[in-house]
């Protein structure tokens, strides 16, 4: 067991984990943050995407020991049902969500993209989410939602406050 | 009935919880519990092998292990067999394994890690048996080398055989100017839903039953099927399917693969048990879309009129029966949406040592339609006519008969022609410039293609029907209780829209209680694109009963004729006098004191079907129609196909919620493109060679173009407000449309999918188009 301290959704946390434990299991099993989904466990589907110091990463291929001292954001740290992040709001508004299993990872990937690039082209959006598999939507409304979120965020500057 | 919500893009209630991560899927429910045992199962390294010996002694001694079981440990009351159609799949293999997803031993331990470690200590001695993978070969072996005394098919290598025989086909082929005769092949593919199969099983100490939480399509069917498995009265089985992380037909059966194991261990130990497949186990163990080999013969005259078909489809059934109505579907849809006077269409599902073939969006129709629409392109090419015009010439219009003899009825909504024309227009079909390889300059060839389809709504197995329970609350709100599942398709919002309009109340007063067998009545599965029409009609029926009761009582309260009253926006109003009204809550509360029941069951049945010997009866009463049109390019240096434009026009009768209808259409197209271009399971001696997302490829956002949807509405007189269904139809015409565009670009027909770079390069090479 190794001790690990990191920032989880803005709060400092500490745990002891086996050296081989991956971040997705730590997040889900130890902190009971079940918004992060485990779709494959092999780094292929992107359902377990979280933000590590603002960058979208797959938490199933990241050892928990590697996040020592770093900042991890899960979907629970992004918005609440009463106060959605503009990306979340756009996903709801255009019905970009079907079964919803890929959505937390998809939202976090989109947030990371829009921080880097507030005005992405459709191609840039497609490239950014190409590591997040969705089997329900054909990505059409997801791309539209990210475009809508980008437009709204550029207009309101809401993201800057976060 | 005023349509205030029906037809609008009402927001789905489940999306808020899903987008914030607050929605708990079944594995999340397990994660929030601390009292669970964790199950693991041992699967064989062979697709066909005799079991000589099993030694569980080491596993039993492993830390944390509470219970280890082989078939010998199953209580006598249990039935070691389950399956969606017939109980033929063992929970625990006895004498042999028939595919690599047959569990040989199972165990439960205090932690998942302990279970994972312990299962590796189970030792099994096998004697490998010959592996059977080609349906056409194994069908010639009698008795079946895979199953002896099979519960449904005895010693036959064929699971089910169905032949549609409508008239005499020989004269049609004798008279024909043209006979189009080809074999088609389609692959074994996986649903690839993102949420792995999972179950929590918890014994009920109060009344001796069991509760199963597992994502699935058909909770009431599971209640029935699992009763016999667990040796319990069906009434003591409670099934709950919380939001499902994608199903596409697969979880109709795969839920049993996990819930039998978790259930057996829970009943044996008396403790709640959870069992979740790894992604690899999902790929290896669960059902697949059946691979098919189809021999299609089409007779036509030189004017392009279809005279008859003669079809044989060999269906790779895999190891177990699962959902085995495929032969019905393969033969029933063998003629596509066309008027065809005579038909002989035979289809057989044949056991192999592959994963069992199960329901997958379209259930056999995409395969059948691929063959028929490909035949139409061959015929158009032979005649030298426009493939679109040939289709428009032959589609079954009102009064025409499909190949199995069914007469098309205008009142059921016949929108195929509009779909074909609109889809063609969207890709500027009349201005195709790039026909055929040599006129198509440069190494990247471009082409356009189109294909149409029809798709019957409902299971087609009579007496299919739906029921629901609607309960009025004294504050004027309502519970609409349905046994259907929320798979992401938008069940909750559609039922709420229908109920709100059916009752005349604001949509936020409607709570849809879903997929809990303790809060719903038997209503059939959430499959076959049936929920909108069947359950929607049942909901309307219950709403009508509610309105009659409450309007009747309000008429007494207000001392006014009932015909003068209506319910609008949650108030009982006097028609034409908007200031005279009573809140519905007051009416309901009053009705209760007057001993008027506040609950009603709503029911709906489609016209009854009786199968005849030649299967020429009308199995389906309403069809959703559609046409898919694509533009693509083929890089002849790499064999890569890029779908640049993809349009789907669907006649859905009436879009209850256009936004969710579009979602279904786009998702279906994406799966259709995957099936056409990239998805395919490979086997080596029956063992899957690509059991990860790494090497079983499904479309990413970069593989897909803008998916354009066109909603066409030719209402069916049977549907709620004319609505048909849209869950499965969207992928039915994608593959033939892509094949058609491939032909337009290269002048070559390819009769096998997926059109992977390997197949494309081979086709180009065989034709001498490249070196």
């Amino acid at each position: 067991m190794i001790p690990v301290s990191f920032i989880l959704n803005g709060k400092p946390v500490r745990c002891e984990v086996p050296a081989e434990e991956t971040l997705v299991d730590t997040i889900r099993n130890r902190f009971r943050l079940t918004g992060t989904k485990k779709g494959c466990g092999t780094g292929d589907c992107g359902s377990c995407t979280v933000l590590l110091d603002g960058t979208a990463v797959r938490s199933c291929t990241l050892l928990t020991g590697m996040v020592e001292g770093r900042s991890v954001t899960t979907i629970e740290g992004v918005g609440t049902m009463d106060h959605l992040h503009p990306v979340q709001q756009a996903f709801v508004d255009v019905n970009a969500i079907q079964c919803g299993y890929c959505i937390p990872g998809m939202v976090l990937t989109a947030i990371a993209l829009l921080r880097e690039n507030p005005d992405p082209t459709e191609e840039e959006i497609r490239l950014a989410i190409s590591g997040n598999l969705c089997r329900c939507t054909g990505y059409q409304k997801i791309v539209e939602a990210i475009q809508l979120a980008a437009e709204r965020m550029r207009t309101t500057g809401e993201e800057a406050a976060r | 009935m005023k349509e205030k919500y029906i037809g609008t893009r009402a927001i789905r209630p489940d999306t808020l919880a899903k987008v914030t991560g607050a929605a708990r899927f079944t594995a999340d429910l397990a994660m929030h519990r601390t009292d669970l045992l964790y199950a693991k199962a041992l699967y064989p390294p062979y697709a066909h092998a005799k079991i000589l010996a099993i030694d569980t002694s080491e596993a039993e001694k492993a830390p944390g292990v509470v219970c280890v079981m082989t078939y010998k440990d199953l209580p006598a009351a249990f039935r070691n067999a389950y399956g969606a159609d017939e109980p033929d799949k063992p929970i625990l293999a006895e004498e042999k394994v028939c595919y690599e997803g047959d569990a040989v031993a199972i165990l439960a331990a205090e932690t998942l890690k302990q279970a994972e470690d312990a299962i590796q200590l189970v030792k099994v001695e096998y004697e490998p048996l010959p592996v059977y993978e080609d349906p056409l070969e194994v069908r010639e072996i009698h008795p079946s080398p895979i199953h002896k005394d099979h519960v449904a098919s005895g010693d036959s290598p064929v699971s089910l055989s169905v032949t549609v025989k409508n008239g005499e086909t020989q004269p049609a082929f004798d008279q024909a100017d043209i006979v189009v005769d080809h074999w088609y092949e389609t692959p074994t593919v996986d649903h690839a839903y993102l949420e792995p199969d999972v179950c929590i099983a918890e014994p009920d100490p109060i009344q001796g039953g069991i509760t199963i939480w597992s994502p699935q399509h058909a909770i009431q069917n599971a209640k029935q099927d699992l009763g016999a498995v667990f040796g319990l009265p069906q009434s003591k089985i409670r099934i709950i399917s919380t939001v499902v992380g994608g199903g596409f037909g697969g979880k109709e059966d795969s839920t049993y693969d996990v819930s039998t194991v978790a259930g057996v261990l829970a009943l044996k130990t008396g403790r709640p048990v959870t069992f979740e497949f790894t992604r690899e186990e999902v790929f290896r163990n669960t059902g697949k879309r059946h691979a098919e080999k189809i021999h299609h013969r089409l007779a036509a005259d030189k004017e392009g009129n279809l005279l008859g078909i003669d079809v044989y489809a060999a269906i790779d059934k895999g190891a177990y029966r699962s959902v085995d109505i495929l032969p019905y579907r393969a033969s029933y849809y063998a003629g596509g949406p066309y008027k065809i006077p005579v038909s002989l269409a035979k289809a057989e599902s044949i056991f192999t040592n592959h994963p069992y073939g199960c329901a997958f969006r379209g259930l056999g129709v995409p395969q059948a339609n691929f063959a028929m629409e490909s035949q139409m392109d061959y015929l158009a090419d032979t005649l030298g006519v426009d493939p679109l015009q040939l289709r428009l010439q032959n589609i079954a219009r009102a009064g025409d008969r499909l190949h199995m003899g069914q007469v098309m009825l205008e009142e059921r909504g016949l929108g195929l022609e509009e779909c074909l024309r609109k889809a063609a227009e969207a890709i500027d079909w009349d201005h195709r410039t790039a026909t055929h390889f040599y006129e198509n300059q440069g190494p990247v060839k471009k082409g356009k293609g189109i294909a149409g389809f029809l798709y019957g709504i409902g299971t087609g197995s009579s007496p299919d029907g739906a029921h629901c329970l609607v309960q009025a609350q004294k504050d004027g709100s309502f519970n609409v209780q349905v046994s259907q599942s929320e798979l992401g398709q938008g069940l909750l919002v559609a039922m709420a829209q229908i109920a709100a309009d059916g009752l005349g109340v604001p949509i936020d007063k409607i709570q849809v209680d879903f997929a809990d067998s303790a809060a719903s009545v038997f209503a059939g599965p959430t499959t076959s694109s049936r929920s909108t029409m069947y359950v929607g009609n049942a909901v309307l029926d219950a709403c009508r009963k509610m309105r009659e009761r409450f309007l009747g009582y309000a008429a007494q309260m207000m001392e006014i004729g009932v015909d003068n009253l209506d319910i609008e926006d949650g108030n009982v109003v006097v028609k034409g006098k908007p200031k005279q009204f009573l809140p519905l809550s007051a009416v309901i509360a009053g009705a209760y004191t007057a001993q008027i029941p506040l609950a009603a069951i709503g029911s709906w049945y489609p016209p009854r079907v009786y199968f005849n010997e030649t299967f020429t009866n009308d199995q389906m009463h309403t069809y959703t129609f559609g046409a898919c049109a694509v533009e693509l390019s083929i890089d002849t240096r790499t064999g890569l196909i890029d779908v640049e434009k993809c349009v789907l026009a669907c006649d859905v009768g009436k879009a209850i919620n256009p936004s969710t209808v579009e979602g279904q259409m786009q998702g279906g197209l994406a799966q259709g493109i995957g099936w056409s271009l990239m998805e395919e399971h490979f086997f080596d001696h029956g063992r899957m060679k690509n059991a990860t997302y790494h090497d079983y490829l499904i479309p990413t956002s970069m593989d897909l173009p803008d998916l354009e949807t066109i909603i066409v509405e030719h209402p069916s007189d049977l549907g709620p407000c004319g609505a048909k269904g849209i869950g499965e139809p969207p992928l039915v015409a994608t593959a033939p449309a892509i094949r058609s565009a491939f032909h337009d670009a290269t002048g070559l027909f390819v009769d096998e999918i997926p059109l992977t770079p390997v197949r494309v390069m081979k086709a180009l090479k065989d034709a001498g188009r490249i070196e």
Side-chain angles (χ1 to χ4, degrees), chain B residues 2 551 554 558 560-584 587:
Chain B
K2 287 197 185 101
L551 286 175
M558 297 167 86
I560 191 171
V562 71
D563 292 343
N564 298 318
L565 295 179
D566 198 358
I567 305 177
E568 282 178 17
D569 212 22
N571 293 311
V572 176
V573 297
V574 179
K575 288 179 192 168
K577 295 180 183 167
K579 285 186 181 166
Q580 248 182 294
F581 70 89
L582 273 179
L584 185 57
V587 176

Side-chain angles (χ1 to χ4, degrees), chain B residues 93 122 124 174 189 214 217 259 318 394 442 499 523 526 688 696 731:
Chain B
V122 176
V124 185
D174 291 343
V189 294
S214 181
H217 293 262
S259 53
N394 282 287
T526 311
M688 189 178 285
Y696 181 83
L731 62 62

Side-chain angles (χ1 to χ4, degrees), chain B residues 141 330 566 621 673-674 679:
Chain B
I141 307 173
D566 198 358
H621 47 81
I673 291 172
E679 294 181 37

Side-chain angles (χ1 to χ4, degrees), chain B residues 219-267:
Chain B
I219 53 150
Q220 299 285 355
N221 297 61
K223 184 177 164 82
Q224 297 179 350
D225 296 345
L226 291 176
V229 171
F230 297 143
L232 287 169
Q234 293 171 7
S235 60
K236 292 192 183 291
I237 313 282
R238 181 179 178 190
I239 312 279
I240 301 169
S241 178
T242 180
V243 286
V244 181
F248 317 115
K251 286 173 178 167
E252 188 175 4
D253 216 329
S254 61
T255 180
Y256 298 134
D257 294 333
V258 285
S259 53
T260 51
V261 169
V264 160
L265 287 165
L267 291 168

Side-chain angles (χ1 to χ4, degrees), chain B residues 650-681:
Chain B
C650 276
D651 167 21
V652 299
K654 164 82 182 178
I656 299 291
N657 186 323
S659 183
T660 57
V661 168
E662 288 162 4
Q664 290 302 295
M665 291 169 74
Q666 291 158 354
L669 280 177
Q671 289 178 358
I673 291 172
W675 189 55
S676 308
L677 295 182
M678 59 208 300
E679 294 181 37
E680 181 173 27
H681 274 304

Side-chain angles (χ1 to χ4, degrees), chain B residues 436-471:
Chain B
H436 296 186
F437 198 82
Y438 293 109
E439 298 96 82
N440 206 337
Q441 296 297 317
V444 178
K445 312 291 182 184
K446 286 176 179 284
K448 295 180 183 181
I450 193 164
F453 69 89
L454 53 62
Y455 192 87
I457 299 309
T459 64
S461 50
S462 217
D464 191 7
H467 312 275
C468 71
L469 190 61
V470 173
Q471 302 199 50

Side-chain angles (χ1 to χ4, degrees), chain A residues 62-139:
Chain A
L62 199 63
L63 293 173
T64 304
M66 293 165 73
V67 305
E68 173 68 36
R70 303 180 72 177
S71 174
V72 175
T73 306
T74 70
I75 193 70
E76 289 89 348
V78 166
T80 61
M81 303 229 339
D82 297 331
H83 186 67
L84 295 179
H85 185 283
V87 169
Q88 292 172 312
Q89 187 65 54
F91 270 63
V92 170
D93 290 346
V94 307
N95 187 32
I97 301 153
Q98 288 191 32
C99 89
Y101 210 76
C102 72
I103 292 299
M106 202 67 88
V107 165
L108 288 163
T109 300
I111 288 172
L113 166 71
L114 296 182
R115 274 183 193 159
E116 287 269 311
N117 180 357
D119 190 9
T121 63
E122 180 184 334
E123 190 69 8
E124 286 167 342
I125 292 171
R126 286 186 178 273
L127 188 61
I129 63 169
S130 63
N132 292 75
L133 294 178
C134 171
R135 189 57 156 169
C136 296
T137 66
Y139 309 99

Side-chain angles (χ1 to χ4, degrees), chain A residues 7-33:
Chain A
I7 309 293
L8 182 56
N9 294 331
K11 289 181 190 151
V13 295
R14 187 183 155 77
C15 57
E16 288 204 349
V17 301
E20 71 274 15
E21 184 163 305
T22 55
L23 184 59
V24 65
D25 289 333
T26 303
I27 290 167
R28 285 177 58 85
N29 303 8
R30 296 180 194 276
F31 294 100
R32 314 264 166 190
L33 294 174

